[in-house]
Amino acid sequence: MIYMQNQQLHLFSIYSCVIMNSSIYILVFVQLWLFSLPCRESVCIPSERETLLKFKNNLNDPSNRLWSWNHNHTNCCHWYGVLCHNLTSHLLQLHLHTSDYANWEAYRRWSFGGEISPCLADLKHLNYLDLSGNLFLGEGMSIPSFLGTMTSLTHLDLSDTGFRGKIPSQIGNLSNLVYLDLAYAANETIPSQIGNLSNLVYLVLGGHSVVEPLFAENVEWVSSMWKLEYLDLSYANLSKAFHWLHTLQSLPSLTLLCLSDCTLPHYNEPSLLNFSSLQTLILYNTSYSPAISFVPKWIFKLKKLVSLQLHGNEIQGPIPCGIRNLTLIQNLDLSGNSFSSSIPDCLYGLHRLKSLEIHSSNLHGTISDALGNLTSLVELHLSNNQLEGTIPTSLGNLTSLFALYLSYNQLEGTIPTFLGNLRNSREIDLTILDLSINKFSGNPFESLGSLSKLSSLWIDGNNFQGVVKEDDLANLTSLTDFGASGNNFTLKVGPNWIPNFQLTYLEVTSWQLGPSFPLWIQSQNQLQYVGLSNTGILDSIPTWFWEAHSQVLYLNLSHNHIHGELVTTIKNPISIQTVDLCTNHLCGKLPYLSNDVYDLDLSTNSFSESMQDFLCNNQDKPMQLEFLNLASNNLSGEIPDCWINWPFLVEVNLQSNHFVGNFPPSMGSLAELQSLEIRNNLLSGIFPTSLKKTSQLISLDLGENNLSGCIPTWVGEKLSNMKILRLRSNSFSGHIPNEICQMSLLQVLDLAKNSLSGNIPSCFRNLSAMTLVNRSTYPLIYSQAPNDTQYFSVSGIVSVLLWLKGRGDEYGNILGLVTSIDLSSNKLLGEIPREITDLNGLNFLNLSHNQLIGPIPEGIGNMGSLQTIDFSRNQISGEIPPTISNLSFLSMLDVSYNHLKGKIPTGTQLQTFDASSFIGNNLCGPPLPINCSSNGKTHSYEGSHGHGVNWFFVSATIGFVVGLWIVIAPLLICRSWRHAYFHFLDHVWFKLQSFSSYSITV
């Protein structure tokens, strides 16, 4: 029986082998037969071609990417982004993705917009649809529900489109989906029908932002997705999904989980955790409700984790050593937290680490020598902390190190020589080194000169010094990015030196390169960024520089001694996006610009003549320039009226020139204008009415001109975004319009040295930006430009000249923190309105040299932010309110030459001010040397520098006049006395002449 069974098994195996071999022969035969058939080109099905054309009609295609989609090209299988089946010719895939662009303008021209036509559902065989990256597609609309009828889809990507709102529940009908990406394309509640997509391997449902998150009451719908490997729920509010951790850990295939910017429910440590496959956990900016400040302990139980990102979770205290349990970890990101500790030794035991990032985490202490244990490390990022000490010698053990970031710390000492030996032919060579903004010293090129693979070197802002020679740079053959500004280097190379590297980025501000213009730059034909500010160049810019570097995007030659006329060295209009040549000795006419320039700074030079050719030079199309600074030159004549050709200007600075005439009307066409400075010129006429259209203005400075007339009421109505209004030193007259009080964002109001009359508006209390509740806490005021390029900033820092604390200073870096009202040297009448004391965020108040009457408002003590007060040279009466002693930040007070009386209030600051701040009144008490009498009577005190009656000089003058007349009067009245007096004078004169003649003879 057993024998029979063995025989049967043997026969079965033989039969199976025969069948298997026969199958192989059949497959080979069929394959050969298929290859023998003539090649057949896919020709699209006409109905599907018509569907695509209808789909195209609903799209906006500014760059004409779909130019091939037309009736002249009948085979739609060859159209852009289309893929058809080789045999059936059915349309299978649509690839209409738009990639990111550094230049927003280029992206806007390349991106698709419009709507998704419902006719797309007619493509019954379509299995792949990618419309991602088109921010203007479906802008503001919800994802169309008809997509739920396209059941052949296995791949659907609508990420980074313009869709908003709810995810349609019909998406749950797409049961064949393997890949679904709706990142930044939806918000509101996640529909439970998503759980029907049981074949999903890749799922991204990230919300649009923290402001517009997705919301999920639970995540039970994900439990049916047994094949899911990649899950991203970024920007989802999961604060009600109390069992999220229990549900997600049950997914057997899950290898990556991303919960960035999510809000998780109340923290509970799970008793059992079984993420059987999880390798990557991304908790970037993730928070719990209520918040926690520690690393959840369950994370340390994920023994298979290879990558962990806990960036920006507001974790406090020391780095937890439970992290040592993650023995397989290769990528660890703990950046953006507040550890306030040193790097723990347990971290140095993670021998598999390839990438370690703990930047911006308030680390302090030194870097341990144990760092050398991390021999697998490829990237180390410890920037923006408070680390001290020197670079440990064990860093030389990290032979696989590719990138090292140690910038923005307090590290010191010289660069160790072993850093230049981080080379090993079997490993990755050091390519990126960032040591900027530390306290390193010495000459780093003595240590780094052998790093032949180094492509990016950043050593800005240290205490490096020394002479850099050709040999020091000879081996840096791979260098492309070089930032070394803010040190004390001198480059000494021969006139024929040609570097062995080709730079794209060069920043050597404050090096000594001059006096001649560096000729070696001529060989650097890949340069895009050139920073040569303050490098001691005493030369003209050679013609070859402009011709050989047409590809440069950023040029900074400011703060040198460059001379000559640009128009003689530049054959073609300047085409560099950002040009900064300020603070040099350039002269002659202004150069011409091409349409490619966005930012031009020629301030503090000696350019002369008119702006006419520069501004009105027959432009064929509108200029792209956004920032124009021609301040402090010798430009003259009228400001040309050609501003309509420059519609994108955001900042215009023409201050401190010699412009005359009226304000050009076409400047009102600058709809994007946010900052305009034309102070210190000779402009005349009335307040420019054309500015009524420049509603985006943030800062307006027309000071130090000859403008006259009234300040129009529309200033407050039309220019509601104004933060800085400076009309100082003109001839404006009339009342201060109440409409100015509508400028709720106004921080600086300077109307000093005009001829304004009437009362101070009591509505000043409505200037809410001068109150503590609404006062800005940002030190900078920016003007925002629409365009953004690789090296061109979309914002400029607004600066303005302010007279505060008795002197004029340029405010820029802290202008956003300044609040000031200066109405001094006018003809204002009436009392100081008590409503002005509601401005408890006001720093500086100057009402001096007017004709104000009445008392100082009692509520002035409520203005707790005041640093200076000047009420001098008015007719203010009454006593100084005692509440003024509450002003603890007050550093200057001047109430001199008024009609004040009584005792100066006692306070921590008031008695420290000079007596001259109180003279010209009837005040007493310190700091005046007049004691207050018991009967309350006081006496006027003028002080040594006062302008009252000084009786010593009066009596001396009277004595001189009386004595003179005692001598002269008798001579005028008595003739005999007069003859005797003049006879005596003649006799004396004769004696003197005789003596003089005798002396000459001898």
Side-chain angles (χ1 to χ4, degrees):
M1 185 69 179
I2 296 174
Y3 173 77
M4 290 289 293
Q5 289 177 343
N6 289 337
Q7 281 290 100
Q8 288 176 347
L9 287 171
H10 180 66
L11 289 172
F12 178 77
S13 62
I14 293 172
Y15 179 73
S16 299
C17 289
V18 170
I19 293 296
M20 187 179 296
N21 289 334
S22 301
S23 300
I24 293 173
Y25 287 128
I26 291 170
L27 288 172
V28 171
F29 173 77
V30 170
Q31 193 171 16
L32 290 173
W33 176 74
L34 288 173
F35 280 131
S36 67
L37 292 175
C39 292
R40 178 178 178 272
E41 183 183 20
S42 297
V43 178
C44 79
I45 297 170
S47 60
E48 293 184 345
R49 180 176 65 240
E50 294 304 315
T51 298
L52 287 180
L53 291 174
K54 291 178 185 177
F55 173 71
K56 177 187 176 181
N57 289 337
N58 282 56
L59 293 179
N60 295 328
D61 183 16
S63 62
N64 199 24
R65 285 163 68 184
L66 304 183
W67 64 270
S68 59
W69 290 35
N70 60 66
H71 289 288
N72 295 328
H73 296 80
T74 56
N75 190 359
C76 64
C77 292
H78 292 169
W79 288 359
Y80 174 86
V82 176
L83 185 66
C84 297
H85 195 284
N86 286 336
L87 296 177
T88 66
S89 294
H90 279 299
L91 198 151
L92 297 182
Q93 299 185 7
L94 268 182
H95 299 260
L96 298 179
H97 167 76
T98 296
S99 301
D100 292 333
Y101 279 80
N103 188 332
W104 171 252
E105 193 61 32
Y107 171 81
R108 190 163 52 182
R109 289 193 297 266
W110 189 248
S111 174
F112 292 118
E115 304 176 11
I116 301 178
S117 171
C119 70
L120 202 61
D122 296 336
L123 301 176
K124 301 299 183 182
H125 299 273
L126 189 70
N127 60 38
Y128 189 105
L129 179 59
D130 185 358
L131 300 173
S132 62
N134 296 294
L135 289 176
F136 306 107
L137 182 64
E139 194 169 13
M141 298 184 290
S142 296
I143 296 172
S145 59
F146 73 80
L147 291 175
T149 65
M150 302 178 69
T151 54
S152 296
L153 283 176
T154 60
H155 184 111
L156 177 59
D157 193 346
L158 300 178
S159 61
D160 295 303
T161 52
F163 293 113
R164 299 288 184 277
K166 210 169 185 180
I167 299 173
S169 59
Q170 291 85 348
I171 292 290
N173 299 331
L174 304 179
S175 57
N176 291 316
L177 272 183
V178 175
Y179 183 107
L180 176 61
D181 192 344
L182 303 180
Y184 307 107
N187 53 330
E188 300 186 24
T189 303
I190 300 174
S192 60
Q193 289 84 354
I194 292 286
N196 298 337
L197 307 178
S198 57
N199 288 312
L200 276 178
V201 174
Y202 184 103
L203 175 60
V204 180
L205 295 179
H208 186 257
S209 67
V210 176
V211 180
E212 301 178 273
L214 279 168
F215 181 77
E217 290 190 3
N218 60 68
V219 291
E220 303 300 325
W221 45 268
V222 82
S223 59
S224 61
M225 300 179 182
W226 293 96
K227 300 178 182 178
L228 197 63
E229 297 178 7
Y230 187 110
L231 177 60
D232 185 347
L233 297 177
S234 297
Y235 292 109
N237 186 341
L238 305 177
S239 59
K240 302 297 182 183
F242 299 107
H243 304 293
W244 70 274
L245 191 56
H246 175 77
T247 303
L248 296 182
Q249 72 167 338
S250 65
L251 299 175
S253 302
L254 192 65
T255 59
L256 185 147
L257 175 61
C258 180
L259 299 176
S260 294
D261 293 283
C262 283
T263 302
L264 301 176
H266 188 277
Y267 174 73
N268 283 311
E269 185 66 32
S271 57
L272 182 65
L273 198 67
N274 185 31
F275 276 103
S276 58
S277 303
L278 194 64
Q279 297 179 13
T280 300
L281 179 60
I282 305 173
L283 300 178
Y284 191 103
N285 289 342
T286 305
S287 61
Y288 280 83
S289 179
I292 63 173
S293 59
F294 54 87
V295 179
K297 294 181 180 178
W298 60 265
I299 292 177
F300 304 137
K301 300 176 183 178
L302 303 174
K303 299 297 181 62
K304 293 186 179 181
L305 267 190
V306 174
S307 179
L308 174 61
Q309 295 185 30
L310 295 175
H311 183 112
N313 285 318
E314 299 182 3
I315 302 168
Q316 299 176 6
I319 296 174
C321 274
I323 212 160
R324 65 161 64 96
N325 297 331
L326 306 178
T327 55
L328 300 180
I329 201 78
Q330 295 181 22
N331 303 304
L332 179 60
D333 186 353
L334 302 175
S335 304
N337 289 290
S338 300
F339 292 119
S340 302
S341 68
S342 58
I343 303 173
D345 289 339
C346 60
L347 211 58
Y348 299 123
L350 301 174
H351 301 298
R352 295 177 184 264
L353 267 182
K354 292 184 177 180
S355 174
L356 176 59
E357 297 190 41
I358 325 180
H359 62 83
S360 310
S361 292
N362 200 25
L363 294 174
H364 54 75
T366 60
I367 302 174
S368 169
D369 227 27
L371 178 65
N373 297 335
L374 304 178
T375 53
S376 299
L377 211 57
V378 174
E379 179 179 355
L380 177 60
H381 199 334
L382 300 177
S383 295
N384 200 19
N385 284 293
Q386 300 177 43
L387 296 172
E388 301 173 336
T390 59
I391 297 176
T393 56
S394 63
L395 192 66
N397 299 338
L398 308 184
T399 55
S400 298
L401 201 61
F402 175 85
L404 176 61
Y405 301 93
L406 297 176
S407 62
Y408 289 91
N409 279 290
Q410 305 292 321
L411 298 171
E412 58 189 6
T414 59
I415 304 301
T417 55
F418 65 79
L419 197 58
N421 296 324
L422 290 179
R423 299 188 303 162
N424 188 322
S425 59
R426 296 169 298 173
E427 303 287 352
I428 302 172
D429 287 344
L430 188 65
T431 302
I432 302 172
L433 178 60
D434 188 355
L435 304 177
S436 56
I437 320 300
N438 277 285
K439 298 179 180 178
F440 291 118
S441 57
N443 190 337
F445 298 100
E446 296 174 357
S447 304
L448 304 176
S450 60
L451 292 174
S452 60
K453 299 296 184 182
L454 197 66
S455 64
S456 296
L457 176 59
W458 312 95
I459 54 174
D460 314 71
N462 280 283
N463 299 322
F464 291 126
Q465 59 184 346
V467 176
V468 181
K469 301 177 181 179
E470 295 180 21
D471 291 343
D472 297 325
L473 306 174
N475 292 326
L476 300 177
T477 54
S478 301
L479 200 61
T480 58
D481 299 314
F482 182 45
S485 62
N487 291 288
N488 188 17
F489 288 118
T490 299
L491 182 65
K492 285 192 175 181
V493 294
N496 299 319
W497 179 58
I498 298 178
N500 294 330
F501 45 74
Q502 274 292 333
L503 298 176
T504 58
Y505 184 101
L506 172 64
E507 176 58 86
V508 288
T509 293
S510 299
W511 280 49
Q512 184 61 38
L513 303 182
S516 299
F517 198 92
L519 296 176
W520 57 268
I521 290 181
Q522 189 171 4
S523 68
Q524 303 297 297
N525 51 32
Q526 304 297 319
L527 277 171
Q528 295 184 3
Y529 183 107
V530 180
L532 302 179
S533 177
N534 189 30
T535 50
I537 300 175
L538 288 81
D539 200 355
S540 60
I541 303 175
T543 302
W544 60 256
F545 178 82
W546 303 105
E547 296 174 348
H549 295 89
S550 58
Q551 79 287 345
V552 171
L553 301 176
Y554 178 96
L555 173 64
N556 188 349
L557 295 172
S558 64
H559 298 275
N560 282 290
H561 302 279
I562 299 172
H563 54 79
E565 298 187 19
L566 282 184
V567 291
T568 63
T569 60
I570 304 177
K571 295 182 180 179
N572 299 310
I574 294 176
S575 59
I576 299 172
Q577 289 181 356
T578 298
V579 178
D580 188 351
L581 300 178
C582 76
T583 318
N584 279 288
H585 304 302
L586 296 166
C587 60
K589 297 177 66 174
L590 294 171
Y592 294 125
L593 303 185
S594 76
N595 197 44
D596 299 316
V597 184
Y598 289 92
D599 187 348
L600 178 67
D601 190 347
L602 301 178
S603 62
T604 319
N605 277 285
S606 300
F607 290 106
S608 57
E609 302 184 35
S610 170
M611 283 182 66
Q612 184 72 28
D613 290 343
F614 170 82
L615 207 66
C616 311
N617 183 36
N618 299 323
Q619 288 92 357
D620 298 329
K621 55 183 179 180
M623 302 295 284
Q624 298 292 323
L625 193 70
E626 295 175 343
F627 296 89
L628 175 62
N629 191 348
L630 302 177
S632 302
N633 278 284
N634 296 319
L635 300 171
S636 58
E638 295 188 353
I639 300 175
D641 195 21
C642 302
W643 296 94
I644 198 168
N645 297 326
W646 307 75
F648 301 107
L649 277 169
V650 170
E651 279 192 18
V652 176
N653 191 343
L654 304 178
Q655 69 181 28
S656 300
N657 280 285
H658 307 294
F659 293 118
V660 298
N662 294 332
F663 193 88
S666 64
M667 206 169 246
S669 66
L670 303 179
E672 303 292 336
L673 192 63
Q674 297 173 36
S675 177
L676 177 60
E677 294 189 50
I678 317 186
R679 69 173 178 85
N680 194 24
N681 280 286
L682 301 169
L683 298 178
S684 56
I686 61 172
F687 192 99
T689 57
S690 57
L691 292 181
K692 189 183 296 187
K693 301 176 184 177
T694 56
S695 59
Q696 301 299 317
L697 266 178
I698 294 173
S699 176
L700 176 61
D701 187 352
L702 303 178
E704 289 89 28
N705 279 287
N706 295 322
L707 300 173
S708 58
C710 296
I711 300 174
T713 57
W714 57 258
V715 169
E717 297 168 346
K718 301 293 184 181
L719 306 182
S720 58
N721 291 311
M722 192 76 73
K723 295 183 179 181
I724 313 293
L725 179 58
R726 188 178 184 277
L727 306 178
R728 184 187 191 90
S729 299
N730 279 285
S731 299
F732 289 115
S733 57
H735 293 224
I736 299 173
N738 287 331
E739 287 74 11
I740 280 185
C741 302
Q742 297 179 26
M743 294 179 169
S744 59
L745 302 178
L746 195 65
Q747 294 179 217
V748 174
L749 176 63
D750 189 348
L751 306 179
K753 295 189 176 181
N754 281 283
S755 298
L756 298 171
S757 57
N759 296 333
I760 298 173
S762 59
C763 64
F764 270 11
R765 70 191 307 176
N766 296 330
L767 300 175
S768 57
M770 301 184 187
T771 62
L772 282 175
V773 174
N774 298 300
R775 191 173 65 176
S776 170
T777 57
Y778 297 100
L780 302 174
I781 296 178
Y782 290 105
S783 52
Q784 300 291 330
N787 291 313
D788 185 15
T789 63
Q790 184 174 0
Y791 299 116
F792 172 68
S793 174
V794 295
S795 59
I797 299 174
V798 176
S799 63
V800 68
L801 179 68
L802 298 179
W803 284 85
L804 307 174
K805 300 182 180 181
R807 66 176 188 270
D809 293 303
E810 192 80 19
Y811 283 78
N813 292 333
I814 62 168
L815 182 60
L817 303 177
V818 175
T819 50
S820 170
I821 293 178
D822 191 346
L823 307 179
S824 62
S825 301
N826 279 285
K827 301 176 181 178
L828 297 173
L829 306 169
E831 297 186 1
I832 301 173
R834 59 181 177 81
E835 291 83 1
I836 204 171
T837 62
D838 291 340
L839 303 180
N840 56 7
L842 188 65
N843 300 135
F844 306 97
L845 178 60
N846 190 346
L847 305 178
S848 64
H849 292 81
N850 280 287
Q851 300 170 29
L852 301 173
I853 60 173
I856 297 174
E858 190 70 29
I860 196 167
N862 300 326
M863 304 178 75
S865 300
L866 277 176
Q867 298 179 33
T868 69
I869 300 175
D870 193 347
F871 292 159
S872 63
R873 307 281 176 179
N874 280 286
Q875 300 173 33
I876 300 171
S877 57
E879 297 185 353
I880 299 176
T883 59
I884 203 169
S885 60
N886 298 336
L887 303 180
S888 56
F889 293 107
L890 201 63
S891 60
M892 192 197 90
L893 172 67
D894 193 347
V895 293
S896 60
Y897 300 106
N898 280 285
H899 301 316
L900 296 169
K901 63 180 181 179
K903 182 180 179 181
I904 298 173
T906 303
T908 54
Q909 265 103 347
L910 297 185
Q911 276 63 51
T912 65
F913 297 136
D914 193 84
S916 61
S917 298
F918 301 95
I919 61 175
N921 291 285
N922 289 309
L923 295 169
C924 62
L928 293 177
I930 300 176
N931 294 324
C932 298
S933 60
S934 58
N935 59 10
K937 291 184 179 181
T938 59
H939 303 279
S940 174
Y941 174 76
E942 301 300 337
S944 59
H945 301 289
H947 295 271
V949 179
N950 192 314
W951 293 107
F952 171 78
F953 292 109
V954 171
S955 58
T957 303
I958 292 174
F960 175 77
V961 171
V962 170
L964 181 66
W965 276 99
I966 289 174
V967 176
I968 293 177
L971 296 177
L972 293 175
I973 297 170
C974 182
R975 178 179 296 178
S976 60
W977 285 25
R978 187 164 61 247
H979 280 282
Y981 177 71
F982 285 113
H983 178 73
F984 171 74
L985 290 178
D986 287 339
H987 179 73
V988 171
W989 178 248
F990 176 75
K991 290 289 185 181
L992 289 172
Q993 282 184 322
S994 299
F995 178 77
S996 176
S997 300
Y998 173 77
S999 299
I1000 293 171
T1001 304
V1002 174

